[in-house]
Amino acid sequence: MDTLAPKGGETPFLKDEELRQGIEMMFYAYRDFTAEPDVILTRFGFGRAHHRVIYFVGRYPGMTVSSLLGILQITKQSLNRVLGQLVREGFILQKTGVEDRRQRLLELTDKGRSLEMELTANQRERFARAYRDAGDDAVAGFRKVILGLMTSDEDRDRFDYDDDAGG
Amino acid sequence: MDTLAPKGGETPFLKDEELRQGIEMMFYAYRDFTAEPDVILTRFGFGRAHHRVIYFVGRYPGMTVSSLLGILQITKQSLNRVLGQLVREGFILQKTGVEDRRQRLLELTDKGRSLEMELTANQRERFARAYRDAGDDAVAGFRKVILGLMTSDEDRDRFDYDDDAGG
DNA sequence: GAATTACGTCAGCGAGTTTGACATAAAAAT
DNA sequence: ATTTTTATGTCAAACTCGCTGACGTAATTC
């Protein structure tokens, strides 16, 4: 980094600068957040898409293909290439649903759980360090803001958030 | 969403649950954060990579190719296809450096700035809303945590952060 | 019995990344 | 002045990962 200075050094409008910093912080944080798992994944011939599938199946054992599609927001064709690979290679198990036999309930095998743990360990440590260094109040603020960045309440509701909404 | 409940409902270990929520919040927020610009980009036949280039060139006018590579952390071959496209189509201008004539200093054309504004408007609004709803203290906490998620001080130093580090 | 739902699959396309090798021009080092 | 390093660009091949569109099957619902 050499002669780099953000444009508008005289802060003609503080708000814009503040918001742009938000945009950039998201970029840098996400870039670093995914970098190390990506390295592990290449050892298995997998990519980031595999990570996401493994992560969410580990998180919600017995989840359906539909709900996974709803979370990832990709097409079933895109998912199926990745998911099929994980099933064929023994990382994920599909069980026919009991109530609705059309469903294929997904869960990790031991092999899958092992990879999930290795991948997630890094990201957990990253958050543990950031949370510890920032302190509890900062963490509460972080959660408030990042939940506010999401588009849908459906996603926000996955987290126990206490907005002023709760009467 | 149907019968989805995170594994470990009895919170056998609060920490793990807290950290996993962090991981997931990052995923959902980033997914939504990029979704709408992606739609605009397809109108121009561009992708997310073009957005990043346009954004950072707009942010740091006169930046070099090297520093852009340093920020994006991709290979020059990857960058060059995207960057070359943006130059050929008149969104970005390359000027030979004055001090170092090997450098190609990058800046947006009017056309480029116009697209940059359209793309960024959405993300700025998203942050404006999230920041406003969360309040100043929460924003300060958000910044602390998300800066802590980054790997390098070099990136943290792009932001005016007041950690206890500043003796 | 017909319509809908959950899931899968074949085929093709394109963006975006990678590695590796090579080329040119300018600057820096000797 | 020559050599080495730096900044940038380019050719080629491969792979991930998303997309659209079409079609198929089994199970459920109407």
Side-chain angles (χ1 to χ4, degrees), chain B residues 47-48 50 52 75 77-78 81 100-102:
Chain B
R48 201 173 292 178
H50 300 83
R52 294 193 284 252
T75 60
Q77 294 92 324
S78 298
R81 191 172 30 81
D100 186 335
R101 290 165 40 81
R102 291 171 303 183

Side-chain angles (χ1 to χ4, degrees), chain B residues 54 89-93 107-118:
Chain B
I54 285 180
E89 300 186 21
F91 291 87
I92 286 182
L93 217 84
E107 55 187 63
L108 295 182
T109 62
D110 287 349
K111 191 178 170 189
R113 185 158 306 279
S114 160
L115 176 54
E116 193 277 335
M117 298 226 284
E118 184 180 357

Side-chain angles (χ1 to χ4, degrees), chain A residues 41-151:
Chain A
L41 286 158
T42 57
R43 283 205 338 251
F44 293 82
F46 292 155
R48 202 173 291 178
H50 300 83
H51 186 182
R52 293 195 282 253
V53 170
I54 285 180
Y55 179 85
F56 282 108
V57 171
R59 176 65 159 164
Y60 303 111
M63 81 187 306
T64 65
V65 174
S66 316
S67 48
L68 186 51
L69 282 172
I71 286 176
L72 299 179
Q73 293 193 1
I74 57 175
T75 60
K76 66 179 171 181
Q77 294 92 326
S78 297
L79 173 58
N80 238 359
R81 190 166 25 77
V82 176
L83 179 57
Q85 213 175 334
L86 290 168
V87 170
R88 278 193 305 278
E89 300 186 21
F91 292 87
I92 286 182
L93 217 85
Q94 288 175 313
K95 291 185 180 173
T96 298
V98 278
E99 295 222 322
D100 187 336
R101 291 166 38 81
R102 292 172 302 182
Q103 297 179 333
R104 301 281 173 272
L105 308 184
L106 306 172
E107 54 186 64
L108 295 182
T109 61
D110 287 348
K111 191 177 168 189
R113 185 159 305 279
S114 159
L115 176 54
E116 194 277 336
M117 297 228 283
E118 184 179 358
L119 288 168
T120 306
N122 189 283
Q123 298 186 324
R124 270 207 317 266
E125 281 162 28
R126 189 174 288 268
F127 261 98
R129 180 171 44 73
Y131 275 6
R132 175 171 44 74
D133 292 353
D136 287 351
D137 287 355
V139 170
F142 171 78
R143 291 178 57 102
K144 251 190 185 173
V145 170
I146 205 159
L147 286 166
L149 288 173
M150 296 178 197
T151 296

